[in-house]
Amino acid sequence: MVALTFPDGARREYPDNITGFEIAKGISPSLAKRTVAMALDGTLADLHDKITKDAKIEFIPRDDPRAMELIRHDAAHVMAEAVQSLWPGTQVTIGPVIENGFYYDFFRNEPFTPEDFPAIEKKMREIIQRDQPFTKEVWSREEAKRVFREKGENFKVELVDAIPAGEEIKIYKQGEWFDLCRGPHMTSTGKVGGAFKLMKVAGAYWRGDARNPMLTRIYGTAWQTQEQLDQYIHQLEEAEKRDHRRLGREMDLFHFQEEAPGSVFWHPKGWTLFQTLENYIRRRQSDAGYQEVNAPQLMDSSLWVTSGHMAKYREMMFLTEKREEEERQYVIKPMNCPGHVQIFKNGLKSYRDLPYRLAELGKVHRFEPSGALHGLMRVRAFTQDDAHVFISDDQITDEVIAMHRLILSIYKDFGFEDVQVKFSDRPEQRIGEDAVWEKAEAALLRALEIAEYPYTYNKGEGAFYGPKLEYVLRDAIGRDWQCGTVQVDLNLPGRLGAFYIAPSGEKIVPVMLHRALFGSLERFTGILIEHHAGHFPLWLAPLQAMVCTITSDADAYAADVAAAAKKFGLRVDVDLRNEKINYKVREHSLAKVPVLLVVGKKEAAERAVSIRRLGSEKQTVMPLDAALAVLAGEATAPDVKREREAA
RNA sequence: GCCGGCUUAGCUCAGCGGUAGAGCAACCGCCUUGUAAGCGGUAGGUCGUAGGUUCAAUUCCUACAGCCGGCACCA
């Protein structure tokens, strides 16, 4: 007998091996009919599974939130059947559930294209219409391999081989079609419903390894209701509207062109925004005890050989050609660290100089693979807000805590309060003694503990020279972006011959902490554009206010207003064009100018302005100086504001 | 880098084996206008680049480049 506890707390006994379906049917046929799966002690299971031990049981109806992943997983199976029935000979591989949908990877000599979607979707609807039950069988390893081999499903044979000994080899059937699968599934294909859509095709390597064959992946989305599907599609459209590449063009911030793939042409407004970020970083890191430096863009390749970068990253570095008159080869710097080590090394350093904090807004170039390029988010030339801090090893924890607090405080100023920290420890391929790693990892963890900050653990994901923390922020529409990093480097200082004189007079190799705040300024600009959907807070907006005249009678006064605003430190422009005010308001609203200062005869006579804010239809008429004082206050950077308030 | 798709006017896009079209923007004129498009006119493209097929290519084919979506990569 098994004792089952129901959600209402009732506890009943049933014979061993009874199925969830039988229990549901015993309670009421309608319950059995609307139940698509069950949960045993909170874990989803097939409704027809035999129950062999005491558990809490719940019946999962199709509209239960937990049914979503089942719908998606079943949809993946239905799609796989549809594809194989339309193109026999196509091999199936894996088809998991992902956020908002599912995919299935196929192997076929002829790849699929989106033009195939209507046929596949039609076939899927037929399969769903047939409403065939999902049934599970457990096969022996040998049998499974034999059957898949005979079907020519070579990838499945590999998957069977990969299943650990002692684990069941489960086969799910839907009618004639079957697939190796961990499950669980709903009771029948009909439960998938109609709220699904195939989204895109993509190449994907077998088992995620670039050395393996390329499969065709078909992505789909599936929902419980058509409303949910429609809403999801709508969300995608909205996200597209905040795409920084589109807003960058619409707001005249930057552009890219063929001759410089992966490099940004910053326009005046975009560069204003970029400089606002640079200036902010300069203030923050100067306050935190960093000194800004600038190291050469080109350095002899021998330095990069010594640092180890040539060995590991040669293919991703830009190198100069050797010339007849000079046999040297230079490297366009892909990182700032070797340069900073040179600055540390220049002149003897004492333990009294530590921590020695060098920061640089260094422009680095990396030959990123062409397929990786993506607007500002992944470029070949970018500006790192980089710093290297030279310390003794007993200073690691304190310095890391300081960096940690600095990073969080900076993100907060930009409205990012949901920040995750990832801790990565020693990778398999690494250099240095385990004892040193031990110390570095412990120091990082102690810093997080003292700062009382939660973190996730990425085993073996550290850099080859040391463990690291990575800072991941979440934007307005819930996307995660990895930005800042703190790394302990136990390698480069030694390799590049850095040392300081300890109290004992000994030469000691310092520990080097590597730290980035935004990471890449280009990328962070892109994140800000998407986060705000172009509606920047006043202190970031490249153009903060537009002075618009009603008629040419106000032209002279408009110029006065603009001049006065500039004296308040505001970034303003004037629109004297012979256009109706409606036209001007519309145009500047679309350009996402945060503040419109409208002036006509009336305002000119009273030395006032009519203020209209982006996103609002409200108009507020204020005396000019008062209005500018308010705006100037708002346009003050958060850190400057804090300082003023403290003073 | 790999797989697939795309590339036509500044932007968004239509078109097609017989050397191109719309809307918006731009420019010119009229209108002096009160908070999201006033009216009229003009101009604008070697159809991504290079080859090939053809009497004829923007259209079909091939290569290359860039971009887009993934995958892989990301010091």
Side-chain angles (χ1 to χ4, degrees):
Chain A
M1 299 293 266
V2 288
L4 298 177
T5 311
F6 290 82
D8 62 1
R11 188 181 156 87
R12 260 171 273 167
E13 297 216 323
Y14 289 94
D16 274 337
N17 290 329
I18 190 165
T19 69
F21 181 73
E22 288 160 352
I23 297 170
K25 207 170 159 192
I27 295 168
S28 92
S30 71
L31 176 66
K33 201 174 169 203
R34 69 169 184 270
T35 300
V36 298
M38 63 179 166
L40 294 174
D41 288 331
T43 305
L44 288 175
D46 295 331
L47 190 60
H48 288 280
D49 274 355
K50 289 172 177 164
I51 300 172
T52 55
K53 57 176 198 228
D54 296 356
K56 273 195 269 184
I57 185 169
E58 287 170 87
F59 295 110
I60 310 291
R62 189 181 180 280
D63 57 3
D64 188 289
R66 286 167 292 181
M68 194 78 101
E69 60 173 291
L70 298 174
I71 289 171
R72 289 172 181 160
H73 190 190
D74 290 8
H77 276 232
V78 167
M79 178 171 79
E81 180 185 349
V83 165
Q84 286 200 313
S85 99
L86 288 167
W87 295 279
T90 303
Q91 292 187 54
V92 288
T93 64
I94 56 162
V97 171
I98 51 171
E99 195 179 7
N100 299 323
F102 61 91
Y103 66 78
Y104 209 112
D105 285 349
F106 301 98
F107 182 78
R108 178 179 169 231
N109 291 330
E110 186 98 347
F112 299 97
T113 78
E115 284 168 24
D116 298 323
F117 287 177
I120 301 172
E121 285 179 348
K122 184 165 171 253
K123 184 61 82 177
M124 287 174 72
R125 287 185 204 285
E126 281 169 33
I127 294 165
I128 291 163
Q129 198 77 48
R130 283 205 290 271
D131 196 21
Q132 272 166 323
F134 284 100
T135 55
K136 178 168 62 183
E137 295 173 9
V138 176
W139 290 3
S140 74
R141 187 175 302 260
E142 286 321 305
E143 190 188 1
K145 281 171 69 172
R146 183 181 56 77
V147 171
F148 284 121
R149 202 178 297 122
E150 279 170 13
K151 281 185 74 184
E153 297 280 9
N154 305 322
F155 294 94
K156 283 289 177 191
V157 176
E158 261 193 66
L159 287 176
V160 172
D161 274 328
I163 295 174
E167 210 169 285
E168 283 184 337
I169 294 169
K170 292 182 271 190
I171 303 293
Y172 279 84
K173 287 193 171 173
Q174 59 206 57
E176 294 296 302
W177 194 83
F178 61 91
D179 195 7
L180 173 74
C181 180
R182 209 175 277 128
H185 281 278
M186 297 188 290
T187 47
S188 67
T189 57
K191 307 295 191 296
V192 172
F196 68 88
K197 184 172 162 54
L198 302 186
M199 303 298 285
K200 52 197 174 195
V201 285
Y205 297 108
W206 167 237
R207 295 191 153 177
D209 190 326
R211 289 166 301 191
N212 287 342
M214 172 85 38
L215 309 170
T216 302
R217 174 171 299 178
I218 302 181
Y219 283 93
T221 186
W223 300 82
Q224 286 163 319
T225 64
Q226 186 64 37
E227 290 71 51
Q228 288 172 334
L229 174 61
D230 292 344
Q231 201 199 333
Y232 175 63
I233 303 286
H234 179 70
Q235 254 177 37
L236 291 181
E237 286 163 5
E238 289 302 306
E240 206 180 308
K241 283 186 200 155
R242 34 172 101 213
D243 188 311
H244 73 282
R245 292 166 297 187
R246 172 176 171 155
L247 288 171
R249 186 180 54 240
E250 288 174 358
M251 298 174 73
D252 194 17
L253 301 176
F254 58 85
H255 84 269
F256 289 91
Q257 68 188 46
E258 262 191 64
E259 292 81 356
S263 294
V264 191
F265 289 78
W266 286 104
H267 294 12
K269 281 185 196 153
W271 193 242
T272 298
L273 173 57
F274 193 96
Q275 285 179 303
T276 303
L277 298 181
E278 280 189 330
N279 293 338
Y280 171 87
I281 284 296
R282 288 200 162 101
R283 292 193 303 269
R284 293 306 307 269
Q285 66 190 9
S286 161
D287 288 351
Y290 291 80
Q291 297 176 281
E292 187 172 331
V293 296
N294 195 270
Q297 205 66 33
L298 294 174
M299 292 192 287
D300 193 284
S301 56
S302 61
L303 188 64
W304 302 94
V305 170
T306 309
S307 72
H309 288 97
M310 276 294 253
K312 198 167 162 59
Y313 291 111
R314 191 179 207 279
E315 291 307 307
M316 305 216 15
M317 290 164 33
F318 288 98
L319 307 168
T320 62
E321 271 178 40
K322 290 183 185 171
R323 312 159 66 100
E324 264 181 47
E325 63 272 30
E326 195 180 63
E327 272 291 289
R328 276 163 179 263
Q329 183 174 41
Y330 294 94
V331 169
I332 304 177
K333 69 177 175 184
M335 289 188 82
N336 297 301
C337 3
H340 292 180
V341 173
Q342 304 315 308
I343 295 172
F344 178 83
K345 278 172 65 181
N346 196 267
L348 207 54
K349 296 294 181 294
S350 147
Y351 70 94
R352 294 175 201 274
D353 294 320
L354 309 186
Y356 193 73
R357 304 187 184 91
L358 297 180
E360 177 170 354
L361 291 162
K363 184 90 174 253
V364 295
H365 290 74
R366 300 179 179 177
F367 200 93
E368 301 287 350
S370 58
L373 301 179
H374 181 93
L376 296 175
M377 303 306 190
R378 190 81 180 267
V379 287
R380 286 186 176 152
F382 63 99
T383 311
Q384 276 189 325
D385 51 355
D386 205 1
H388 296 91
V389 178
F390 299 86
I391 47 176
S392 60
D393 53 8
D394 58 349
Q395 292 174 317
I396 299 177
T397 299
D398 284 350
E399 193 63 23
V400 169
I401 292 173
M403 289 177 175
H404 172 81
R405 293 193 171 137
L406 178 62
I407 290 174
L408 291 182
S409 149
I410 286 173
Y411 291 176
K412 200 172 170 194
D413 278 346
F414 287 85
F416 300 111
E417 307 220 15
D418 187 351
V419 181
Q420 283 181 58
V421 175
K422 297 197 292 189
F423 165 70
S424 304
D425 64 1
R426 65 191 87 178
E428 271 182 31
Q429 283 200 331
R430 60 179 183 271
I431 50 165
E433 303 289 312
D434 279 358
V436 186
W437 275 91
E438 209 82 52
K439 197 165 182 174
E441 288 162 2
L444 273 184
L445 285 178
R446 199 156 58 246
L448 285 177
E449 270 156 35
I450 293 171
E452 294 185 331
Y453 207 83
Y455 61 91
T456 55
Y457 173 47
N458 280 3
K459 189 170 165 50
E461 296 287 313
F464 69 93
Y465 49 73
K468 63 182 176 186
L469 301 180
E470 279 162 337
Y471 289 78
V472 179
L473 52 84
R474 178 156 293 179
D475 74 8
I477 57 173
R479 291 172 306 180
D480 290 335
W481 301 97
Q482 189 170 306
C483 293
T485 182
V486 173
Q487 299 172 4
V488 185
D489 187 341
L490 305 164
N491 166 48
L492 279 180
R495 279 200 170 207
L496 294 173
F499 63 85
Y500 65 92
I501 307 298
S504 63
E506 253 183 300
K507 289 181 179 176
I508 306 276
V509 176
V511 171
M512 183 165 79
L513 296 184
H514 173 116
R515 170 235 81 176
L517 306 167
F518 292 150
S520 146
L521 263 78
E522 282 76 0
R523 185 158 179 273
F524 196 77
T525 308
I527 293 169
L528 283 177
I529 293 169
E530 302 207 353
H531 175 66
H532 293 292
H535 293 69
F536 293 116
L538 209 55
W539 76 283
L540 290 175
L543 177 62
Q544 294 168 320
M546 180 64 82
V547 183
C548 301
T549 49
I550 305 264
T551 69
S552 53
D553 294 337
D555 284 3
Y557 176 60
D560 281 358
V561 170
K566 280 179 187 157
K567 277 198 181 139
F568 273 87
L570 292 165
R571 298 185 284 267
V572 295
D573 206 347
V574 285
D575 184 352
L576 304 180
R577 289 177 306 169
N578 180 16
E579 295 288 353
K580 294 206 159 153
I581 191 64
N582 283 310
Y583 184 89
K584 294 184 183 181
V585 166
R586 175 180 156 82
E587 192 166 272
H588 301 306
S589 298
L590 288 174
K592 302 183 167 57
V593 179
V595 173
L596 300 185
L597 299 174
V598 178
V599 294
K601 265 189 203 158
K602 219 165 27 180
E603 286 78 9
E606 296 166 7
R607 207 170 164 74
V609 285
S610 166
I611 304 173
R612 178 181 169 130
R613 304 272 185 161
L614 181 60
S616 163
E617 288 176 20
K618 213 174 96 187
Q619 300 159 37
T620 313
V621 179
M622 279 178 82
L624 177 61
D625 285 341
L628 293 179
V630 168
L631 293 176
E634 263 180 57
T636 307
D639 60 312
V640 175
K641 214 180 266 184
R642 259 197 313 275
E643 241 168 63
R644 278 188 200 156
E645 278 160 13

